[in-house]
Amino acid sequence: MPVARPESSDSRVIAHVDMDCFYVQVEQRKQPELRGHPTAVVQYNAWKGGGLIAVSYEARSFGVKRSMRGDEAKSVCPEIQLVRVPVARGKADLSIYRNAGSEVVAILSRKGRCERASIDEVYLDLTDAAEKMLSETPPESLEVIDDEVIKSHVLGISAEPSDVRQAVREWICRSNADRRDKLLACGAFIVAELRMQVLKETQFSCSAGIAHNKMLAKLASGMNKPAQQTVVPFVSIKSLLEPLPIRKMKQLGGKLGCSLQDDLGVNTVGDLLQFSEGRLQERYGINTGTWLWNIARGINGDEVESRVLPKSHGTGKTFPGLNCLKTIAAIERWLSKFSEELAERLEVDLEQNKRIAQTLTLHASAHKATESQSQKKFPSKSCPLRYGTTKILEDALNLFQAGLREYLSSSSKAYGNGCSGWGITNLSLSASKIVDIPSGTCSIMKYFHTQDQSCSSTKEFNDKEIFEAATLSTSGSESYLMKHLQEPQTECHEDGTKMNTLMQTHLEDESRMFEDKACAQTNFSREISSLSTPVKKNEPQLDSVGEDAVIKDAAGGNRSRDQKGKALKEKQGTSSILQFFQTKNCFQEPKEESVNDMQETTESSCSVPSESGGIRSLHRGADQSRVDCIYKIDEIDPNVVDELPREIQEEVRAWLRPQKRANNTMRRGSSITHYFSPNKNL
Ligand code: DCP
């Protein structure tokens, strides 16, 4: 649902930068001999020459369009060069385009708040930079103005073609201009410089729109392409908006736009101006009514979010027509590829950006054999994300099964392997709710990575791992912990219509980097992160049941406590710190028990010695019931203490020195328990 936000100020300078025929430019940089030639990037699927997904401007001048297939493009423009999208795991591999987009973002973010809106689109808030320029070097004070600035399109300027440049120069340098327009003129300088910088450093050209809000900037950026920029002065807003078809406006391509057309006869933005705010509110509710009234007048208060990294990661594929997936085995095969890719990308994100994703979502489109049932959408399903290919696959399969069950609505006949009652035409996985991990925890997180593990018992390990993640989770751990103590892990969550829209919009073409353009719209239910501990087949594993854990060897036999330290060290990638903080010892006590006397002022966690010689940490949950964790000091491997954040290293070392342990463990709300506390970030 659109949100009506008032504008904080109409003196903002917002730019929308959009790369020109982006995938083509990336391919042309790789193969410079393609530069200047009609070129198109085609999909992996080679049927009829493959679907075109990016078309160079040279090819466009021959009439080649993105809706064409390679064969048709060849007939329209015989000299066109068709470059196939890279392939990995039997599907399009977009990493080269993603990385190219990141290069651009790194440059654009130098001048102001930067929001990466898609693989090739960025919003910039240049207000501060423009104000600085206006106060220090206003345009009218400049003797030389770069040609790229003069080449700007300023909406509303009317002049003979031969005089346009002079008219633009005059508009930019008007000393008596409205301050808001003066700021936009400064924005034109800054954006021109950034675009030149992008070209110099990456060899990519881009176009831009410069206005006082995101909506207008985005509309303007596409008006003059390639390699040009367009400014929207205040006086030109009305004439820019009035003729625009209503369905072309953001968020009006769907049902709302349809209703405006069918119910109110609104075809252009100008038509919308005839309706009062009250009338629109009456028809569409207060928020949407106001939003519609606002957009008709070019009012849009959306802020440029500070985000240079993608908001989610996604991978998927379409299986049109006869290629649709009809068996669980086929689904598993593809989900396995998706899981592998997602796990890799999540790992890179963690490694490079210190971020973790918290929610795994499966989207699918399906059809059933029977016509009467085919209207129903396959529900998108989400669950907490656990790291590692195997776990992602395991969860993805569960999500798929849950979605399929719901989709088929107990039509058990059609459910199961080998059935032909359903067909999946789109399948994808996404990882979202990405958050930064606090500094100092990164290397610990490495221990939670699962590269490729097999679990002997899904349920057992799911519970254990989620719980482990909860103790180390960076935010919202409390609610995560409480939730998973109370609910079965396999529970799935409906994403709602937004993800379905996303599927339709972005998965029509498998190689579309849907995670980015879609990410701005995703609104998943709140879930909390889950990282996993590596557990390898044939390696000793900690029994996840019972307070005094025993180590089981591959054959299921128990080993003595003396052997534990050694066994733990044998587990590559698993540090004993994890065993120490493992959650198998945590349990929720349903009874109400006051812990007020132990509480510090700002947190509800504390440490007390436990009967078994460990540290018992009490955390008060949101529902006021108590969560009790016992940490076993003896099992800390001193080698991993260095991995802890500095503020808690000292405390852990003190624990390891027997004479000091008693005192330290008595400390209330100590940093170590706080650090691993489910309440930590509440
Ligand atoms: N893309 C895709 N599938 C689509 C649309 C686009 O894979 N159905 C990819 C290829 C594009 C890139 O996304 O290069 C960016 O899409 P744009 O819509 O911004 O289009 P281009 O950048 O190709 O061209 P333009 O210069 O018109 O923006």
Side-chain angles (χ1 to χ4, degrees), residues 222-337:
M223 295 182 80
N224 295 287
K225 280 192 135 228
Q228 296 170 76
Q229 59 184 48
T230 305
V231 184
V232 188
F234 271 78
V235 289
S236 308
I237 295 173
K238 195 161 183 264
S239 53
L240 163 68
L241 290 174
E242 261 182 1
L244 287 180
I246 198 80
R247 304 294 300 275
K248 292 270 175 221
M249 299 296 286
K250 204 175 162 195
Q251 310 210 49
L252 291 180
K255 279 186 191 163
L256 183 54
C258 243
S259 163
L260 283 167
Q261 272 185 316
D262 299 345
D263 304 335
L264 300 186
V266 169
N267 290 311
T268 62
V269 178
D271 294 341
L272 198 54
L273 285 170
Q274 300 158 11
F275 295 87
S276 70
E277 187 175 4
R279 170 87 176 87
L280 292 169
Q281 287 180 336
E282 210 175 277
R283 181 73 184 73
Y284 296 107
I286 290 178
N287 174 57
T288 305
T290 299
W291 180 79
L292 286 169
W293 191 87
N294 282 348
I295 61 144
R297 288 154 185 82
I299 300 168
N300 171 249
D302 291 350
E303 293 291 335
V304 173
E305 288 171 33
S306 183
R307 190 183 68 238
V308 296
L309 298 168
K311 211 172 168 183
S312 61
H313 298 288
T315 172
K317 187 172 166 65
T318 54
F319 304 94
L322 292 175
N323 294 327
C324 74
L325 307 179
K326 294 185 185 130
T327 64
I328 296 288
I331 297 289
E332 182 167 0
R333 238 185 348 266
W334 281 104
L335 285 180
S336 164
K337 293 174 202 268

Side-chain angles (χ1 to χ4, degrees), residues 165-220:
R165 287 197 172 196
Q166 184 54 31
V168 169
R169 180 189 291 273
E170 282 167 14
W171 184 86
I172 280 171
C173 297
R174 280 179 315 164
S175 54
N176 60 347
D178 180 303
R179 179 180 157 80
R180 298 172 306 179
D181 279 353
K182 281 188 173 183
L183 285 170
L184 292 178
C186 293
F189 279 83
I190 298 162
V191 173
E193 194 189 320
L194 281 171
R195 290 180 36 245
M196 290 306 95
Q197 205 55 36
V198 168
L199 186 63
K200 191 169 153 209
E201 293 183 37
T202 67
Q203 304 172 29
F204 301 143
S205 76
C206 57
S207 301
I210 302 143
H212 81 279
N213 68 40
K214 283 170 88 173
M215 179 182 87
L216 296 169
K218 164 118 180 151
L219 283 173

Side-chain angles (χ1 to χ4, degrees), residues 18-23 53-55 57 60 66 119-120 225 509 511-513 517:
D18 188 14
M19 306 309 292
D20 303 317
C21 55
F22 189 46
Y23 288 13
I53 53 175
V55 181
Y57 282 83
R60 290 183 205 196
R66 186 145 64 191
I119 197 163
D120 76 331
K225 280 192 135 228
D509 186 323
S511 46
R512 180 85 172 146
M513 186 192 169
K517 284 199 168 157

Side-chain angles (χ1 to χ4, degrees), residues 580-581 598 600 605-618 629-634 636 648 650-674:
F580 178 73
F581 290 105
M598 298 177 187
E600 299 269 310
S605 99
C606 63
S607 306
V608 293
S610 79
E611 286 160 23
S612 55
I615 305 300
R616 170 168 287 199
S617 176
L618 304 177
C629 301
I630 299 171
Y631 306 139
K632 290 190 177 303
I633 298 165
D634 298 344
I636 292 187
I648 59 171
E650 202 187 318
E651 188 176 354
V652 177
R653 288 212 175 87
W655 285 9
L656 296 172
R657 289 196 294 272
Q659 67 279 15
K660 294 211 174 157
R661 194 181 296 162
N663 288 340
N664 277 290
T665 56
M666 288 298 288
R667 230 165 65 199
R668 287 178 183 180
S670 70
S671 57
I672 184 74
T673 48
H674 171 65

Side-chain angles (χ1 to χ4, degrees), residues 418-486:
C419 79
S420 57
W422 49 269
I424 297 295
T425 52
N426 255 322
L427 186 65
S428 73
L429 276 184
S430 68
S432 63
K433 288 271 167 190
I434 302 180
V435 294
D436 293 335
I437 54 173
S439 58
T441 53
C442 187
S443 56
I444 282 192
M445 294 301 174
K446 277 195 292 204
Y447 291 95
F448 286 83
H449 275 204
T450 308
Q451 294 306 317
D452 188 19
Q453 294 82 30
S454 305
C455 297
S456 54
S457 155
T458 303
K459 182 74 176 80
E460 176 178 321
F461 282 102
N462 279 354
D463 292 347
K464 179 169 177 263
E465 284 148 7
I466 283 169
F467 215 143
E468 279 171 347
T471 58
L472 281 171
S473 154
T474 56
S475 66
S477 309
E478 175 75 21
S479 50
Y480 179 89
L481 183 69
M482 301 309 284
K483 180 172 176 56
H484 288 280
L485 281 168
Q486 289 155 9

Side-chain angles (χ1 to χ4, degrees), residues 9-26:
S9 154
D10 59 4
S11 300
R12 293 186 300 164
V13 179
I14 309 293
H16 178 258
V17 180
D18 188 14
M19 306 309 292
D20 303 317
C21 55
F22 189 46
Y23 288 13
V24 170
Q25 287 206 75
V26 175

